[in-house]
Amino acid sequence: AQRVTQPEKLLSVFKGAPVELKCNYSYSGSPELFWYVQYSRQRLQLLLRHISRESIKGFTADLNKGETSFHLKKPFAQEEDSAMYYCAPWGVTGGGNKLTFGTGTQLKVEL
Amino acid sequence: GAVVSQHPSWVICKSGTSVKIECRSLDFQATTMFWYRQFPKQSLMLMATSNEGSKATYEQGVEKDKFLINHASLTLSTLTVTSAHPEDSSFYICSARDSLGQQETQYFGPGTRLLVL
């Protein structure tokens, strides 16, 4: 079965510290990987996608097919990064193409 | 950028009544829309995939007669919770996929909070 694992429910770091939000997936085929972010009282929004290989708000994520991981990283956390982060593969599962969301990691950046 | 709207943003209803939630893609056409349910402090669970002009595809365990989905146009999908009960109280989120944009991207609505008394 397709599965996404975000092992940390809550990650608390100090401002300026490096951040790594872990994501491992178990998926048949070659899914496209995304990170979505949900700031307090806001809708879910796309943060980045692996095929773009871009850096958004200082975040990057490298797809490691060998380890089936797609960890989200930022070298220096900012207070405004505090939010809920979801790793989400897009691919064929259960008969159709869809996003499968991980359980999410709440990032809290403390001063 | 692309925007997805939902209406209403919140609704309170009596047990046994039906509630309709609208999801619109405001500046793009969406042949596919998705309906999710989110319980407090939990992840989004996909309920169904709504395809314009055809029947919705429901996820395992989701009652199609309970959660009626209609996707009559390329910019509108509706979710009707029929004969709602307190256990249906939840946060319902729709999402629309922009298949014609430069990169296929899925955009999310702000969600509808349903409270069934």
Side-chain angles (χ1 to χ4, degrees), chain B residues 6-7 19-24 33-35 48 50 56 58 67-73 75-81 94:
Chain B
Q6 274 183 251
H7 178 81
V19 175
K20 181 187 279 190
I21 303 170
E22 290 186 351
C23 175
R24 293 180 187 273
M33 290 185 173
F34 303 87
W35 287 95
S50 168
Y58 290 81
F67 299 99
L68 299 178
I69 291 172
N70 184 277
H71 192 158
S73 79
T75 58
L76 173 65
S77 175
T78 60
L79 168 69
T80 301
V81 184
C94 79

Side-chain angles (χ1 to χ4, degrees), chain B residues 47-117:
Chain B
M47 298 174 67
T49 302
S50 168
N51 298 296
E52 186 266 337
S54 65
K55 289 184 180 179
T57 304
Y58 290 81
E59 295 299 299
Q60 197 170 14
V62 178
E63 298 175 59
K64 60 180 70 174
D65 295 330
K66 173 77 171 174
F67 299 99
L68 299 178
I69 291 172
N70 184 277
H71 192 158
S73 79
L74 287 171
T75 58
L76 173 65
S77 175
T78 60
L79 168 69
T80 301
V81 184
T82 62
S83 186
H85 287 93
E87 57 266 29
D88 299 323
S89 299
S90 190
F91 194 53
Y92 292 88
I93 303 170
C94 79
S95 177
R97 194 158 178 88
D98 181 3
S99 302
L100 299 178
Q102 202 169 7
Q103 286 183 338
E104 279 204 43
T105 302
Q106 197 163 321
Y107 298 96
F108 287 80
T112 296
R113 192 163 301 283
L114 170 64
L115 178 60
V116 184
L117 301 175

Side-chain angles (χ1 to χ4, degrees), chain A residues 36 43 49 86 90 98 102, chain B residues 4 38 43 59 104-105 108:
Chain A
Y36 279 84
R43 70 183 69 194
R49 57 203 299 165
Y86 294 97
W90 163 268
K98 59 193 78 169
Chain B
V4 174
Q38 187 178 32
S43 186
E59 295 299 299
E104 279 204 43
T105 302
F108 287 80

Side-chain angles (χ1 to χ4, degrees), chain A:
Chain A
Q2 319 290 31
R3 195 166 60 245
V4 184
T5 304
Q6 292 181 250
E8 303 123 338
K9 204 166 184 175
L10 172 66
L11 184 63
S12 188
V13 300
F14 286 106
K15 179 182 174 181
V19 174
E20 182 179 48
L21 288 81
K22 292 185 169 55
C23 172
N24 287 88
Y25 64 94
S26 172
Y27 232 81
S28 58
S30 298
E32 189 176 352
L33 274 296
F34 296 84
W35 275 98
Y36 279 84
V37 60
Q38 190 170 28
Y39 300 102
S40 180
R41 297 193 189 87
Q42 293 187 30
R43 70 183 69 194
L44 203 63
Q45 55 186 281
L46 177 65
L47 180 62
L48 54 77
R49 57 203 299 165
H50 88 269
I51 60 170
S52 299
R53 302 184 67 81
E54 58 196 344
S55 174
I56 303 293
K57 299 184 179 183
F59 285 96
T60 58
D62 289 321
L63 178 61
N64 186 322
K65 290 187 178 180
E67 295 181 358
T68 59
S69 68
F70 188 54
H71 304 326
L72 184 68
K73 299 177 185 178
K74 184 170 182 176
F76 308 104
Q78 301 299 312
E79 194 180 355
E80 56 267 25
D81 295 329
S82 295
M84 192 73 174
Y85 292 80
Y86 294 97
C87 177
W90 163 268
V92 176
T93 176
N97 280 304
K98 59 193 78 169
L99 276 174
T100 301
F101 283 90
T103 48
T105 297
Q106 179 75 44
L107 174 65
K108 187 177 178 184
V109 180
E110 299 184 78
L111 298 174

